[in-house]
Amino acid sequence: MIAVCLAGATGWAGSELARAIAHTDDVELVAAVSRTHAGRALGDVLHEPRLTASVHGSADEALATACDVFVEYTKPDTARANILAALERGAHVVVGTSGLTDADFADIDTVARKQGRGVLACGNFALTVVLLQKFAEAAARLIPQWEIIDYAHDDKIDAPSGTARELAARLAKVRAPQPTIRLDKTVGPREVRGATLAGWQVHSIRLPGYVISAEVIFGMPDQKLTIRHDSGSSARPYVDGALLAIRKVSTLVGVHRGLDSVLDLQAP
Ligand SMILES: NC(=O)c1ccc[n+]([C@@H]2O[C@H](COP(=O)([O-])OP(=O)(O)OC[C@H]3O[C@@H](n4cnc5c(N)ncnc54)[C@H](OP(=O)(O)O)[C@@H]3O)[C@@H](O)[C@H]2O)c1
């Protein structure tokens, strides 16, 4: 049995994961975090009697219950402290929360290695997003210029999305930017060219009517390739990947980004 503490267990993504954990026979939810529902049994909040774990108002309180894996699914402003607290208590960590920076992950990596624990951070747990990343990496090996666009609903607080951040970081490892016109030579407001992440331009759209999508546009003279992923409105696509991360994170030491760190993508 893998004992899990789930921070954000009552949220849109966390509650779907909690309900799925209730139906596994190798993962057990031993503690949950949500400020609104602190003091209640998670099963009462989610109407799932198999979930007997108590809900705590903070990760520190929840971590008083020993766990093997801490799952972070709250908000960017609390995620970093929660992850560091879990590592200090000796738990491995799965990070679903988006919005952490490369600098945050560098600090977390230092603590994780000191503790000999694994941190698996996935901006998106959906298998189709892992494929987007892989296909984009293949394209980037052949096409030297691209930009990323991330689309989301108007109340998504973090920008760019975790998916876009992870994509930018991965593609930057394939090659360094080669813009035709350097950004500081832009005529007009520099901001309209988007933010520079890991050397590449990323643009975030936040409007009602969107769910979550990520797009990479690769441009070459007189031709272009667009690779795009669209999520539906439920949190179901993230469940299987999150369960896989929970089952595999103890095989890692330090920070690993992306589900493909533990997924065999070789064709059979
Ligand atoms: N990696 C992926 O595949 C994936 C998929 C979906 C979402 N996400 C990311 O996961 C995060 C959560 O998204 P969501 O849509 O599920 O958000 P949500 O519905 O707002 O849920 C947030 C959860 O975190 C808890 N929470 C928030 N702030 C807290 C705090 N300061 N202390 C303790 N608990 C706190 C909330 O409970 P209380 O308000 O009661 O405290 C709630 O249970 C976001 O960063 C989102 O971008 C990632």
Side-chain angles (χ1 to χ4, degrees):
M1 271 293 187
I2 304 171
V4 167
C5 174
L6 175 54
T10 60
W12 179 72
S15 60
E16 192 78 26
L17 176 60
R19 288 193 187 92
I21 288 176
H23 290 85
T24 65
D25 51 18
D26 61 336
V27 182
E28 184 188 8
L29 210 50
V30 296
V33 182
S34 144
R35 294 157 303 177
T36 318
H37 302 284
R40 298 180 65 190
L42 184 61
D44 291 344
V45 181
L46 301 186
H47 308 295
E48 171 49 81
R50 294 176 194 223
L51 292 170
T52 54
S54 298
V55 181
H56 302 268
S58 71
D60 273 339
E61 288 166 35
L63 284 162
T65 304
C67 66
D68 303 306
V69 177
F70 178 85
V71 179
E72 168 49 50
Y73 238 155
T74 64
K75 293 285 165 196
D77 53 356
T78 39
R80 179 191 158 101
N82 287 355
I83 295 164
L84 293 173
L87 287 170
E88 296 291 354
R89 299 275 188 135
H92 298 280
V93 180
V94 169
V95 184
T97 311
S98 52
L100 289 162
T101 64
D102 290 342
D104 289 327
F105 280 119
D107 295 345
I108 292 166
D109 185 61
T110 303
V111 177
R113 289 184 188 281
K114 193 178 119 216
Q115 296 290 100
R117 291 293 180 272
V119 176
L120 183 48
C122 305
N124 197 311
F125 287 115
L127 174 64
T128 43
V129 168
V130 179
L131 294 175
L132 167 83
Q133 292 168 342
K134 287 291 161 197
F135 296 154
E137 281 171 340
R141 279 184 209 108
L142 300 170
I143 308 176
Q145 280 178 277
W146 62 81
E147 299 203 7
I148 296 171
I149 309 181
D150 126 58
Y151 305 84
H153 42 91
D154 55 322
D155 55 351
K156 184 170 173 59
I157 195 165
D158 57 305
S161 67
T163 310
R165 275 182 194 279
E166 213 166 279
L167 204 49
R170 280 167 176 269
L171 297 187
K173 283 187 189 147
V174 177
R175 61 169 87 217
Q178 302 171 7
T180 307
I181 295 176
R182 279 189 6 222
L183 289 179
D184 58 351
K185 302 285 181 204
T186 302
V187 176
R190 157 73 186 77
E191 293 77 12
V192 296
R193 292 288 294 111
T196 306
L197 247 79
W200 288 96
Q201 293 318 106
V202 180
H203 313 261
S204 291
I205 312 275
R206 294 289 177 269
L207 280 175
Y210 284 93
V211 184
I212 303 268
S213 302
E215 189 174 281
V216 199
I217 304 170
F218 293 89
M220 295 180 86
D222 215 21
Q223 52 183 321
K224 58 186 180 293
L225 169 71
T226 301
I227 307 179
R228 178 182 168 111
H229 178 269
D230 297 293
S231 297
S233 55
S234 90
R236 183 68 191 88
Y238 312 117
V239 166
D240 292 341
L243 284 174
L244 178 70
I246 289 168
R247 290 180 174 122
K248 297 281 191 174
V249 66
S250 65
T251 63
L252 307 172
V253 174
V255 170
H256 295 256
R257 310 271 296 267
L259 196 63
D260 55 326
S261 311
V262 293
L263 193 65
D264 181 6
L265 287 170
Q266 298 303 314

